[in-house]
């Protein structure tokens, strides 16, 4: 069914005017406006044909009204693409109500049951207008209610020429049945669509609350430790005059805490940017060896403190097409994890080779490895609880998730091979320069 909708272009029409800047709720209202407009266009075309076949009174004049209505509804769709949503909604609710009143007054009267549509039009503003435009909701609701009551209590049946299909009561009843079924079907359709998207909004709210809790958790735990360490050593340095060795030790601890705080904040910001779809990817031709060297330089002290040797086998000629900031974040995260989970005096090997149109970069360590459950969560892009490093280092659990998303943004990928107590191999792919 979904494939059929895509092939017919219906989904594209429903999403006219929907942009990333709109909130989910606003997007739903724009989609519902488009849905009502499309249903209106379809109905007017359908009734234009029926009126000619059935010999409705003044059908030429009524079909002229239908042409104007269709033109205005197409204009509604156009206004949505121009982001003029309020004007689009106003024209929509006027266009679907006033012409029907004219058609019913001039031709059908209470015959055919066309005035039942006013009951449907009375609830349309509740799903396409936000609460802030409540006066418009009230106005459109009352207008359509008055139209319905007028025909119900003061309307007269239409007069149809003898010899036409509409002259027969059975045909009039068929039009009445069609009106009732159409009204109920249209109401069910756009209410179902509305409920479907409300469900999406609720899920989005749950996701946002989950992210908020995650952010607070990171701020409360992962930043509290390194900031507390910095505060302790700064207090020690300001309250006494330490010996040279003590001073060097304190400064190293401060630098380590500063690096940890920086990495936590950078991961957090990258994660939030990606989740809110505000990540900007600007691919450029970059030297792979240079980017990896920069990542090693930043984390060299962290590796030296554990006695870990970092060995690279990368040609200086390798060029990749990627976003420098995103790629630097990915490389830094993977290397930081390799250092964190490697045993003291261990080794990390970084290799790169060109495969087809991608550069494949492999980070291999002989550390504590990962369980199958953890690997499965990483592959599926699910959140997981970070393990402590080999000397008690704490992580956020965001690093690899951020890496996966940032690589996807650039057309790359990430794979993980690992066994507990045997080490981990992380393989990433980046597009090569053509």
């Amino acid at each position: 069914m979904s494939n059929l909708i895509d092939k017919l272009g219906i989904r594209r029409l429903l999403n006219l005017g929907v942009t990333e800047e709109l909130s989910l709720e606003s997007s739903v209202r724009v989609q519902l406006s488009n849905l009502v407009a499309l249903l209106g266009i379809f109905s007017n075309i359908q009734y234009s044909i029926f009126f000619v076949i059935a010999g409705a009174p003044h059908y030429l004049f009524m079909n002229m009204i239908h042409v104007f209505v269709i033109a205005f509804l197409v204009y509604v769709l156009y206004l949505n693409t121009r982001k003029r949503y309020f004007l689009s909604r106003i024209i929509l609710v006027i266009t679907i109500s006033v012409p029907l009143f004219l058609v019913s007054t001039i031709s059908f009267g209470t015959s055919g049951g066309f005035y039942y549509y006013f009951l449907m039009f009375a609830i349309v503003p509740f799903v396409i207008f936000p609460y802030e435009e409540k006066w418009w909701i009230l106005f459109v609701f009352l207008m359509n209610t008055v139209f319905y009551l007028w025909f119900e209590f003061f309307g007269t049946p239409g007069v149809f020429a003898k010899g036409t299909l509409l002259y027969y009561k059975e045909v009039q009843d068929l039009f009445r049945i069609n009106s009732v079924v159409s009204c109920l079907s249209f109401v069910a359709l756009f209410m179902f669509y509305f409920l479907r998207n409300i469900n999406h909004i609720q899920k989005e709210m749950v996701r946002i609350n989950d992210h908020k809790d995650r952010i607070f958790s990171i701020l409360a735990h992962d930043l509290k430790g390194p900031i507390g360490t910095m505060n302790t050593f700064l207090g020690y340095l300001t309250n006494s005059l330490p010996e040279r060795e003590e001073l060097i030790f304190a400064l190293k601890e401060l630098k380590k805490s500063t690096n940890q705080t920086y990495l936590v904040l950078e991961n957090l910001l990258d994660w939030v940017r990606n989740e809110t779809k505000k990540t900007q990817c600007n691919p450029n031709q970059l030297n792979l060896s240079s980017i990896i060297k920069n990542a090693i330089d930043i984390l060299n002290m962290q590796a030296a403190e554990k006695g870990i040797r970092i060995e690279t086998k990368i040609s200086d000629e390798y060029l990749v097409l990627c976003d420098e900031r995103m790629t630097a974040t990915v490389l830094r995260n993977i290397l930081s994890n390799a250092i964190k989970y490697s045993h003291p005096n261990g080794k990390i090997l970084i290799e790169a080779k060109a495969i087809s149109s991608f550069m494949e970069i492999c980070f291999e360590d002989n550390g504590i490895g990962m369980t199958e459950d953890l690997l499965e969560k990483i592959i599926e892009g699910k959140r997981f609880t970070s393990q402590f490093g080999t000397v008690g280092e704490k992580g956020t659990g965001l690093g690899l998730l951020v890496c996966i998303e940032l690589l996807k943004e650039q057309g790359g990928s990430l794979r993980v091979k690992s066994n507990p107590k045997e080490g981990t191999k992380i393989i990433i792919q980046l597009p090569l320069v053509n």
Side-chain angles (χ1 to χ4, degrees):
M1 184 64 180
S2 180
N3 290 335
L4 178 62
I5 290 174
D6 288 334
K7 286 179 180 178
L8 293 175
I10 296 174
R11 198 185 304 278
R12 186 176 178 183
L13 290 172
L14 289 175
N15 285 310
L16 288 174
V18 176
T19 63
E20 291 184 357
E21 293 78 19
L22 289 176
S23 67
L24 186 55
E25 182 182 354
S26 298
S27 299
V28 170
R29 297 192 187 281
V30 173
Q31 290 172 336
L32 286 167
S33 296
N34 291 335
L35 178 60
V36 174
L38 291 170
L39 290 174
I41 291 170
F42 172 77
S43 296
N44 277 272
I45 294 173
Q46 168 192 276
Y47 280 117
S48 293
I49 297 170
F50 286 170
F51 290 170
V52 173
I53 294 172
H58 313 293
Y59 69 84
L60 289 176
F61 178 71
M62 288 193 297
N63 283 350
M64 285 179 60
I65 294 177
H66 288 155
V67 170
F68 280 107
V69 169
I70 291 170
F72 274 107
L73 293 177
V74 170
Y75 185 56
V76 164
L77 298 174
Y78 170 76
L79 286 174
N80 280 338
T81 65
R82 307 305 297 175
K83 301 181 184 179
R84 300 180 66 181
Y85 307 118
F86 178 73
L87 179 59
S88 168
R89 288 193 288 262
I90 299 302
I91 293 176
L92 177 62
V93 293
I94 298 298
T95 300
I96 62 177
S97 299
V98 175
L100 180 63
F101 181 81
L102 293 174
V103 168
S104 297
T105 302
I106 293 169
S107 183
F108 276 83
T110 57
S111 302
F114 292 108
Y115 64 97
Y116 295 150
Y117 281 99
F118 291 122
L119 292 176
M120 181 183 72
F121 297 159
I123 66 172
V124 166
F126 290 94
V127 296
I128 67 171
F129 283 97
Y131 177 76
E132 292 76 14
E133 295 166 7
K134 52 185 174 292
W135 295 112
W136 275 105
I137 297 175
L138 182 62
F139 169 73
V140 176
F141 172 76
L142 291 176
M143 178 181 70
N144 283 285
T145 302
V146 169
F147 285 168
Y148 171 78
L149 292 174
W150 170 262
F151 282 100
E152 183 67 46
F153 295 103
F154 304 104
T156 57
V159 178
F160 306 106
K162 191 172 183 179
T164 62
L165 290 175
L166 280 170
Y167 180 78
Y168 300 100
K169 188 176 182 303
E170 293 82 0
V171 176
Q172 294 177 31
D173 289 341
L174 285 174
F175 270 93
R176 186 181 296 275
I177 292 169
N178 180 70
S179 297
V180 172
V181 172
S182 295
C183 286
L184 291 175
S185 299
F186 292 166
V187 169
L189 181 60
F190 63 72
M191 288 304 294
F192 178 80
Y193 193 81
F194 182 75
L195 290 173
R196 169 181 171 272
N197 286 284
I198 287 296
N199 184 50
H200 287 174
I201 292 173
Q202 290 173 338
K203 288 181 179 178
E204 182 69 9
M205 288 176 66
V206 170
R207 189 180 70 87
I208 290 171
N209 281 330
D210 185 47
H211 290 172
K212 177 198 68 177
D213 293 341
R214 181 71 168 172
I215 290 169
F216 286 152
S217 173
I218 290 167
L219 293 176
H221 298 97
D222 299 314
L223 287 181
K224 185 178 178 181
I227 290 174
T229 301
M230 286 188 280
N231 184 58
T232 300
F233 280 104
L234 286 172
Y236 171 69
L237 292 175
T238 53
N239 292 330
S240 63
L241 188 62
E243 297 293 332
R244 175 180 170 78
E245 289 183 1
E246 292 175 331
L247 179 62
I248 291 173
F249 174 77
L251 290 175
K252 283 183 177 180
E253 288 298 316
L254 282 172
K255 181 169 176 55
K256 185 166 69 174
S257 295
T258 303
N259 280 343
Q260 187 177 349
T261 303
Y262 174 79
L263 288 172
V264 169
L265 282 174
E266 188 176 58
N267 283 341
L268 187 60
L269 290 172
D270 278 324
W271 182 61
V272 170
R273 284 193 201 104
N274 186 71
E275 290 295 324
T276 54
K277 307 301 180 186
K278 291 183 178 178
T279 306
Q280 295 292 328
C281 181
N282 300 304
N284 289 301
Q285 181 175 304
L286 302 173
N287 183 278
L288 179 61
S289 177
S290 176
I291 308 174
I292 290 178
K293 185 178 182 301
N294 288 338
I296 294 172
D297 288 343
I298 292 172
L299 297 167
N300 199 40
M301 180 176 288
Q302 183 181 330
E305 286 181 347
K306 293 180 73 171
I308 294 171
R309 182 164 52 92
I310 301 174
E311 184 180 328
T312 60
K313 294 181 180 180
I314 300 169
S315 170
D316 292 335
E317 298 176 358
Y318 285 156
L319 298 176
V320 288
L321 186 65
C322 55
D323 181 284
E324 185 171 8
R325 184 191 63 79
M326 288 184 177
T327 305
T329 299
V330 170
L331 296 176
R332 199 159 51 242
N333 267 292
I334 294 173
L335 184 56
S336 175
N337 278 346
I339 295 170
K340 186 187 304 178
Y341 298 116
S342 288
H343 297 292
N345 303 315
K347 184 181 83 169
I348 296 170
L349 176 62
I350 306 174
E351 295 181 289
K353 57 182 177 180
I355 297 179
S356 185
S357 58
F358 290 93
M359 178 63 68
E360 192 169 270
I361 309 155
C362 176
F363 295 78
E364 187 173 2
D365 65 64
N366 56 356
I368 60 176
M370 302 183 197
T371 62
E372 286 187 13
D373 181 57
L374 186 57
L375 278 173
E376 187 177 335
K377 288 182 178 179
I378 292 171
I379 291 168
E380 293 176 359
K382 294 180 180 177
R383 231 179 51 190
F384 56 88
T385 303
S386 177
Q387 304 175 77
F388 284 96
T390 52
V391 292
E393 304 101 317
K394 182 71 176 71
T396 64
L398 286 178
L400 281 179
L401 296 184
V402 169
C403 291
I404 291 169
E405 294 303 321
L406 293 184
L407 286 167
K408 282 182 182 177
E409 289 287 330
Q410 303 178 85
S413 63
L414 181 145
R415 303 195 313 274
V416 184
K417 297 179 181 178
S418 185
N419 289 304
K421 300 180 181 180
E422 293 182 14
T424 300
K425 182 185 288 187
I426 294 182
I427 303 159
I428 67 171
Q429 286 188 332
L430 290 169
L432 272 171
V433 174
N434 291 329

